[in-house]
Amino acid sequence: MDPQVEYVPLAEYFKVFSEPNRLAVLEALHDGPLNVTAVVDKTGLSQALVSKHLKLLTIAGVIERRPEGALVFYEVLDQGVFQLVAQAEQLLLASRRQQLDALAALF
Amino acid sequence: MDPQVEYVPLAEYFKVFSEPNRLAVLEALHDGPLNVTAVVDKTGLSQALVSKHLKLLTIAGVIERRPEGALVFYEVLDQGVFQLVAQAEQLLLASRRQQLDALAALF
DNA sequence: ATATGGCATAACGACATCGTGATACTACAT
DNA sequence: ATGTAGTATCACGATGTCGTTATGCCATAT
């Protein structure tokens, strides 16, 4: 991270992952491409909502939209996003541990 | 990422990094602990805003608050957060490249 | 005891985002 | 040509977030 950089684009990118249902949609695509209805079934979210999240993920360049006949398939472009998510999970766990330790240290 | 997990906490964690000024505040602490006024000077943000972001980062367990006399120092707890940020920057760059390639492929 | 610098918080307005229900569009089958 | 399943989009209400201004609070110096 450079000193006087604009953090707007980076913040926008993080924002992509800052919504629970959007993470669920992304996870639904973890094991391969799915069409919209399949994502709807897998997540239990409404069709309109799934379409919205898929569009956002597409615009962000995280997934790719591929129409096939009457269906539209979506696929994760760079598997690295799952590393990012995994790393965030790690940090989250670590920070929880730390907070418990800090709490315990009060006694 | 597990199928039927709650993604709320993870999304909340990502949300911490989804704000430009908050990233700037975090970056200000990259090279060591600083007190509030120092962060204000380094970022050019208002004091009230800096305090807010520092509080959020503290609650999230990303930084630690350490009062010292009249001053209050803040310090990054786990340097791993910078890896997370760096990884996101990487992915962002890659996805931009990809989008340009996709655009170029149209001609 | 009072003044001052450093920090935190409250109240507020502006704006963004989320989810829903309804509707439109598209490709294909009949 | 009409119907239908799959997908996208619109309009809307509800809620959340950001930044500011103003004020409160604490530690220290005078």
Side-chain angles (χ1 to χ4, degrees):
Chain A
M1 294 204 285
D2 233 290
Q4 47 246 53
V5 187
E6 274 290 305
Y7 291 109
V8 175
L10 187 55
E12 291 294 312
Y13 192 75
F14 272 115
K15 205 175 286 181
V16 172
F17 306 95
S18 72
E19 220 287 319
N21 290 334
R22 200 149 50 229
L23 286 177
V25 168
L26 180 60
E27 161 64 19
L29 299 176
H30 187 229
D31 300 327
L34 290 181
N35 69 337
V36 178
T37 302
V39 174
V40 168
D41 293 345
K42 200 162 184 178
T43 60
L45 303 174
S46 77
Q47 184 266 318
L49 190 53
V50 167
S51 273
K52 266 191 184 174
H53 285 309
L54 287 172
K55 182 175 188 182
L56 229 171
L57 288 166
T58 303
I59 291 174
V62 174
I63 65 178
E64 184 190 30
R65 185 185 126 105
R66 186 158 27 82
E68 249 167 65
L71 307 185
V72 179
F73 284 83
Y74 287 88
E75 179 169 17
V76 172
L77 269 171
D78 185 342
Q79 295 292 123
V81 294
F82 295 115
Q83 287 182 39
L84 184 73
V85 171
Q87 188 155 11
E89 279 176 329
Q90 284 296 111
L91 283 166
L92 178 56
L93 286 180
S95 99
R96 275 181 180 160
R97 257 182 268 119
Q98 197 283 332
Q99 285 178 329
L100 285 184
D101 291 354
L103 183 63
L106 294 178
F107 302 95
Chain B
M1 294 203 285
D2 232 292
Q4 48 248 53
V5 186
E6 275 291 305
Y7 291 109
V8 176
L10 186 55
E12 291 292 313
Y13 192 75
F14 272 114
K15 204 175 288 181
V16 171
F17 305 95
S18 72
E19 220 285 320
N21 290 332
R22 200 149 52 230
L23 285 177
V25 168
L26 181 59
E27 161 63 19
L29 298 177
H30 187 228
D31 299 327
L34 290 181
N35 68 338
V36 178
T37 302
V39 174
V40 168
D41 293 345
K42 200 163 185 177
T43 60
L45 302 174
S46 77
Q47 184 265 317
L49 189 54
V50 167
S51 272
K52 265 191 185 176
H53 285 309
L54 287 172
K55 183 175 187 182
L56 229 172
L57 289 165
T58 304
I59 290 173
V62 174
I63 65 179
E64 184 190 32
R65 185 184 126 107
R66 187 158 27 80
E68 249 167 65
L71 306 185
V72 179
F73 283 83
Y74 286 89
E75 180 168 17
V76 172
L77 268 170
D78 185 341
Q79 295 292 124
V81 293
F82 295 114
Q83 288 183 38
L84 184 73
V85 172
Q87 171 102 358
E89 281 177 328
Q90 285 295 113
L91 284 167
L92 178 55
L93 287 180
S95 100
R96 276 181 180 160
R97 256 181 269 122
Q98 197 282 332
Q99 285 180 326
L100 284 184
D101 291 353
L103 183 63
L106 293 179
F107 302 97

